[in-house]
Amino acid sequence: MSSIFPFTVQDTAQEAAAEEHLPVFRELAYDYDNNCLLRRGGKPYLIEKDEALKVWIYKALKTKRFVWQAYSHTYGTEIENVIGLANSPEIIDSEIKRYITETLMINPYIQELSDFSFVHEASVVVVGYTVTTVYGRFTHESEVYNE
């Protein structure tokens, strides 16, 4: 059955075709604890697929949008706008979810973010969520400072 809106069928077909032609996602391996690149034999090295996407997610959520000329205006986050919100935890959670979704869904390798959970600890909100990618699915956790 064809749709009365043929452009929606075409858009879906184009998205599926684009995913088939995506090169393997690669990123430099990262040491989160020491905030530096990991090295083998003194040189940084590449990791692939979901492990590389985890690094990209971490970096995208740590980079302020519209601040650094090295990045396009679509890269980075504005999640710092949550800092100081004195609203209810439900509103804060909703805003954090919105900012994370806006930040990460620009990546064509990420298909869906789901199962968000929020734990409020003093001035930090720990956010857990499931990331569905073209390679599979993994859980990720981020910290958002609220003061």
Side-chain angles (χ1 to χ4, degrees):
M1 174 185 253
S2 63
S3 171
I4 62 170
F5 303 108
F7 57 87
T8 58
V9 174
Q10 182 180 9
D11 288 346
T12 305
Q14 286 174 348
E15 287 176 16
E19 287 175 9
E20 290 175 12
H21 298 299
L22 289 172
V24 173
F25 192 81
R26 291 183 173 95
E27 185 64 74
L28 291 169
Y30 198 75
D31 180 348
Y32 303 102
D33 295 328
N34 296 309
N35 196 26
C36 64
L37 296 175
L38 289 174
R39 298 175 181 276
R40 282 189 194 146
K43 295 182 180 181
Y45 61 94
L46 291 172
I47 53 177
E48 296 181 342
K49 300 183 178 178
D50 281 345
E51 290 305 309
L53 282 165
K54 289 175 186 178
V55 173
W56 185 90
I57 289 168
Y58 175 81
K59 289 167 47 179
L61 289 171
K62 293 290 183 189
T63 303
K64 290 183 180 181
R65 186 178 285 168
F66 307 120
V67 173
W68 307 103
Q69 291 182 354
Y71 300 113
S72 74
H73 288 298
T74 60
Y75 182 81
T77 188
E78 298 173 78
I79 204 162
E80 71 273 3
N81 292 339
V82 173
I83 295 172
L85 281 180
N87 295 320
S88 68
E90 293 83 15
I91 293 174
I92 292 170
D93 294 352
S94 175
E95 284 297 289
I96 290 172
K97 179 180 177 182
R98 181 175 68 87
Y99 282 121
I100 288 174
T101 302
E102 286 176 359
T103 300
L104 302 184
M105 290 308 294
I106 66 153
N107 189 313
Y109 293 85
I110 297 175
Q111 297 175 325
E112 180 184 25
L113 301 174
S114 60
D115 304 326
F116 280 83
S117 64
F118 303 89
V119 177
H120 295 258
E121 300 174 350
S123 63
V124 177
V125 180
V126 179
V127 185
Y129 45 96
T130 301
V131 181
T132 303
T133 72
V134 297
Y135 304 116
R137 174 178 283 190
F138 59 88
T139 57
H140 199 270
E141 193 173 273
S142 302
E143 291 182 345
V144 179
Y145 296 91
N146 194 21
E147 288 184 359

